[in-house]
Amino acid sequence: MKSHKSKNKPTMSSGQIRIIGGKFRSRKLKVLDVAGLRPTTDRVKETVFNWLMPYTSNANVLDCYAGSGGLGFEALSRYAENVTFIELDNLAHRQLAENIKLLNADNTQLFNGNCLEVLPKLTGNYDLVFIDPPFRKDLASSTCHLLEELQLLADDAVIYLEVEKELTNLELPLNWQILKEKNFGQVTSYLLQR
C-alpha cells in the first residue's frame, strides 16, 4: 500500500549546496526542498563569482530572494564584510538560520518576509546586491526600482540579477548599466552596475 503525504504538511526532504570558493570552500549546507526554490548551480556560481571577484571583499551585501542562501554564503566565504538575507518562505528561512549558525556567520542579518515589504525597513548602503526572485512573478523590475527609490545602494553598487530566459520586458533603472549578460539554459544572468 502506498503511503501519501498530507496536503497540509510541507515536504521536509532536503539536498545540499556546496560553497565553491573562499574560506568556506567545499563546505556543504543543507537546503530544504521548497516549492519554487532554485539553488544556483555550481557552474553558474563559478561564472558569477568570476564576474564578482573585484567586488566581494569587504562588501556590504544584500541577498534579496535568498532561498538556499547560496549566493550570499558564497559572498561571505569570499570575505564580504556583511550579508543581509531576505527570504519569504518560513522553511527556507529556518534553514538559512541553521546554516548561518553552522558557519558561525555573525556578520549576517536574516529577515523573514516579502522582499518588497522588507526593503523599506533596511538602512543599508549596499555595495553588492543579489536579485534572484521566483520566476514568472514579475518581481525583478519592481525590486530593482525599489532599491533605487529607497536609496539603499552605494554610488557604484554592483547588482547580480537572475531571471527567466523568456523575460523580455525587463525594465531597469535608467542609471544602471549592463556589464555582462549570459544565458544558462532557462536562466539569464546579468551583472549590472549603478
Side-chain angles (χ1 to χ4, degrees):
M1 192 167 161
K2 283 186 179 177
S3 66
H4 65 281
K5 291 180 181 159
S6 163
K7 289 181 182 175
N8 297 329
K9 199 171 185 181
T11 175
M12 292 301 286
S13 64
S14 64
Q16 291 183 325
I17 56 168
R18 183 174 63 91
I19 297 176
I20 62 171
K23 63 184 175 184
F24 300 132
R25 184 182 180 149
S26 299
R27 291 289 297 268
K28 291 182 178 172
L29 301 174
K30 193 173 169 184
V31 179
L32 292 179
D33 183 13
V34 173
L37 191 68
R38 302 169 288 99
T40 303
T41 65
D42 284 1
R43 188 176 130 239
V44 174
K45 273 196 289 192
E46 192 169 337
T47 298
V48 170
F49 281 91
N50 282 340
W51 292 353
L52 294 176
M53 199 179 302
Y55 309 108
T56 52
S57 187
N58 300 315
N60 188 17
V61 178
L62 175 62
D63 193 347
C64 287
Y65 298 88
S68 69
L71 296 170
F73 287 126
E74 200 71 50
L76 267 181
S77 185
R78 294 161 193 255
Y79 305 98
E81 182 76 26
N82 190 293
V83 177
T84 300
F85 295 96
I86 303 172
E87 177 50 43
L88 175 62
D89 184 89
N90 291 329
L91 292 174
H93 174 266
R94 199 171 315 137
Q95 188 59 58
L96 279 166
E98 286 178 27
N99 288 337
I100 286 168
K101 192 174 177 181
L102 181 72
L103 294 174
N104 293 318
D106 55 2
N107 55 339
T108 60
Q109 292 81 45
L110 176 58
F111 292 89
N112 186 199
N114 178 318
C115 181
L116 300 178
E117 293 170 7
V118 172
L119 287 178
K121 299 173 187 173
L122 301 182
T123 57
N125 194 27
Y126 296 102
D127 307 298
L128 174 58
V129 178
F130 297 111
I131 305 171
D132 182 8
F135 283 177
R136 299 169 193 89
K137 301 222 184 263
D138 201 27
L139 292 167
S141 294
S142 54
T143 303
C144 294
H145 284 282
L146 187 57
L147 284 164
E148 194 61 45
E149 287 167 28
L150 295 171
Q151 300 179 355
L152 291 173
L153 303 174
D155 288 344
D156 57 353
V158 173
I159 301 98
Y160 170 71
L161 175 63
E162 196 171 293
V163 295
E164 61 273 26
K165 187 177 177 181
E166 71 269 17
L167 183 67
T168 55
N169 60 342
L170 181 63
E171 291 180 24
L172 298 171
L174 295 175
N175 59 331
W176 291 18
Q177 62 176 330
I178 297 173
L179 300 180
K180 299 196 183 279
E181 178 180 346
K182 185 168 176 133
N183 289 322
F184 298 94
Q186 300 304 308
V187 173
T188 301
S189 294
Y190 295 95
L191 183 63
L192 308 160
Q193 188 161 30
R194 187 168 188 255

